[in-house]
Amino acid sequence: MRRRLRVALFSHDSLGLGHIRRNRALAFALARDLPALTGREVSGLLIASSPEAARFDLPDGWDWVILPGVTPAPGGYVPRALASSMQGLRALRAAAISAILDQQRPELFIVDRHPFGIGGELAEAIDRVRGHGCRTVLGLREVLDTPSVIAAEWEKVGGPARVADAFDEVWIYGDPDVYDPRSTGEVPAPLASKAVTTGYLSQGRPADGGPLPVGADAASAQPVGAEAADTAEAEFGSERFLLTCLGGGSDGGSLASIAVDAQPPDGHRHLIVTGPQMDTEEFDRLRVRAGATTTVIRHHQDIPGLVASAEAVVCMGGYNTLAELMATDTPALVVPRKGHRAEQPRRAFALVAAGAVDAHTIDSLDAEVLSEWFAGRVGRPTDRSHIDLSGLTTVPRLAAELIADARAEAPAFVPEAAPTAGHRPTAPRGTASSARLPITLEETSHAV
């Protein structure tokens, strides 16, 4: 039997659940399709640092590795909980990542969004895995930020050419007819030359799964089937419902406060899913304020199923939320996060231009406006068939091609001793050397 194919995925995880949920969706797609594409069984590790990660299930043969975490702070990051300096935490995380990958020896390593992690913590690990022939991929959501902000971020990690030296390919998880970061300059020329768009990671996303967090009420524990009628039955009996979902929930309080006062049309209930990271006191206040036709819960095991079942959806503008939404024909109002980054407004209004959603800024929204939107949009499906939503089918094919290329280029096998501190394997032609990828204490000024 051929040796099992090993895959590793990394996300830095400072705020929200987007990075880990994107990598988890990729893990399920790779586990599903790579065996047929490569003729090999597949296993993998997802390296993350959110304590929420472990509540999400994974395919058989895959597992989480949870690092000590970071949290955003003015100018960068600070340790989330560990009693350590940021420099000490960087060193700890870097050593752990290198040890994990030295032991696993993946053939494919996918890094989500930040090419060298926090403060360069991935630089040494990328050098080492490329030294034993591993293919490396930088995965990017389709919208990053304003071009000037992103240009500064590329420079802080050594410039686009340095990043391009470290990765075999760049996968952009979007449809260039909706938004193309290569044409805006967010993905500059050295990276654009290695970039391929995959389509949105929409069709075939897995249900969230895993145990419910403390604070989720009984309504959120109901299973949701594949059919819309099953989901509606599980939540509200035979009643139709509207949905407001807030992603991880750490920054959804303003929208939740408006949504809880909105009035659903006659014959409808309103379900608000705050996300597990909403502050407990804020969540409790929302539940107290909710009227007789509104239910507030923290979490549901199948948000995509709820989105597909709802008569209309209100959501923020995060990548995963909208990727899940676009796999349905449910009408949607997107209210992008204000401040921090320009990513969510740019995504929301690009999708408005593509005819996929409606959008409001939070400053232009109140309970009355939202109630009117609900009344005008229920029962009016939105056609999104013109948007490329096939990313979770495209990515395994790209992965199989990369792995096949690596095996074709590999030299004849010569047994070697495990690397020691005094002896490091030489990187193959075209890979980044350790001299070009020193660990740096520079970090980006934006958190996610």
Side-chain angles (χ1 to χ4, degrees):
M1 180 179 292
R2 299 180 68 187
R3 184 168 59 89
R4 186 180 293 268
L5 172 58
R6 296 183 297 273
V7 179
L9 300 97
F10 174 87
S11 57
H12 79 292
D13 305 329
S14 65
L15 182 68
L17 302 175
H19 301 280
I20 60 174
R21 293 188 69 237
R22 186 158 50 242
N23 272 357
R24 176 177 174 270
L26 293 173
F28 272 94
L30 294 169
R32 179 193 67 212
D33 292 349
L34 271 183
L37 291 167
T38 64
R40 301 168 64 190
E41 293 299 314
V42 180
S43 67
L45 290 175
L46 277 73
I47 304 171
S49 58
S50 169
E52 296 286 342
R55 77 172 175 82
F56 293 99
D57 62 350
L58 289 173
D60 291 343
W62 293 64
D63 207 349
W64 294 102
V65 176
I66 311 299
L67 303 173
V70 297
T71 192
Y77 302 93
V78 295
R80 183 180 56 234
L82 192 67
S84 170
S85 68
M86 192 60 215
Q87 185 170 2
L89 181 60
R90 287 189 192 99
L92 187 156
R93 285 169 56 109
I97 293 163
S98 290
I100 291 161
L101 296 178
D102 280 349
Q103 178 65 32
Q104 189 207 21
R105 294 184 70 87
E107 293 177 60
L108 177 66
F109 185 36
I110 303 172
V111 176
D112 189 72
R113 173 65 181 89
H114 290 275
F116 303 123
I118 303 296
E121 65 191 357
L122 283 184
E124 183 75 8
I126 289 172
D127 179 17
R128 292 169 76 102
V129 297
R130 286 170 69 85
H132 65 68
C134 176
R135 292 304 203 196
T136 52
V137 174
L138 177 62
L140 299 176
R141 59 196 182 216
E142 89 291 27
V143 182
L144 301 177
D145 206 318
T146 60
S148 61
V149 167
I150 291 301
E153 291 190 6
W154 292 128
E155 290 306 315
K156 284 187 174 182
V157 296
R162 180 192 178 204
V163 178
D165 279 347
F167 291 92
D168 295 293
E169 286 188 355
V170 177
W171 295 345
I172 300 171
Y173 305 132
D175 180 346
D177 290 336
V178 175
Y179 192 98
D180 191 342
R182 298 168 298 186
S183 64
T184 66
E186 292 160 73
V187 176
L191 295 170
S193 67
K194 292 188 168 187
V196 58
T197 57
T198 67
Y200 286 94
L201 306 179
S202 294
Q203 294 169 339
R205 287 181 74 96
D208 282 352
L212 298 175
V214 174
D217 70 4
S220 68
Q222 297 288 342
V224 178
E227 298 297 326
D230 292 341
T231 301
E233 181 71 22
E235 291 300 332
F236 297 122
S238 61
E239 290 182 280
R240 294 176 293 175
F241 72 99
L242 312 171
L243 174 68
T244 295
C245 54
L246 305 173
S250 59
D251 57 357
S254 296
L255 178 54
S257 183
I258 293 170
V260 79
D261 291 332
Q263 295 299 311
D266 290 344
H268 291 75
R269 296 289 302 276
H270 186 191
L271 176 64
I272 300 174
V273 185
T274 67
Q277 294 178 342
M278 177 171 280
D279 177 77
T280 299
E281 291 184 1
E282 188 170 30
F283 173 76
D284 290 340
R285 286 195 296 269
L286 289 169
R287 295 191 72 175
V288 169
R289 286 173 55 190
T293 59
T294 299
T295 301
V296 181
I297 64 174
R298 277 194 179 278
H299 167 71
H300 195 282
Q301 290 184 339
D302 187 7
I303 294 294
L306 285 180
V307 170
S309 305
E311 294 287 312
V313 171
V314 178
C315 62
M316 298 178 72
Y319 179 89
N320 291 286
T321 297
L322 293 184
E324 291 165 350
L325 167 74
M326 286 190 290
T328 75
D329 63 1
T330 305
L333 177 67
V334 181
V335 185
R337 172 197 290 163
K338 181 181 178 181
H340 189 62
R341 280 196 177 276
E343 171 217 345
Q344 289 201 9
R346 291 169 78 89
R347 174 179 298 114
F349 289 101
L351 288 168
V352 169
V357 300
D358 299 328
H360 262 293
T361 64
I362 191 70
D363 293 334
S364 67
L365 190 69
D366 58 27
E368 182 178 356
V369 171
L370 182 53
S371 299
E372 291 174 355
W373 183 84
F374 278 144
R377 293 298 281 152
V378 294
R380 296 173 56 191
T382 300
D383 181 10
R384 302 184 178 103
S385 60
H386 57 292
I387 297 174
D388 185 357
L389 307 175
S390 64
L392 292 175
T393 300
T394 302
V395 161
R397 175 179 57 78
L398 295 174
E401 291 170 357
L402 260 184
I403 293 163
D405 288 345
R407 292 176 68 85
E409 295 172 8
F413 175 75
V414 178
E416 61 177 356
T420 65
H423 174 75
R424 293 282 309 284
T426 302
R429 180 178 61 83
T431 63
S433 68
S434 57
R436 284 194 305 223
L437 286 177
I439 289 184
T440 172
L441 297 184
E442 276 297 332
E443 60 184 290
T444 60
S445 60
H446 290 266
V448 294

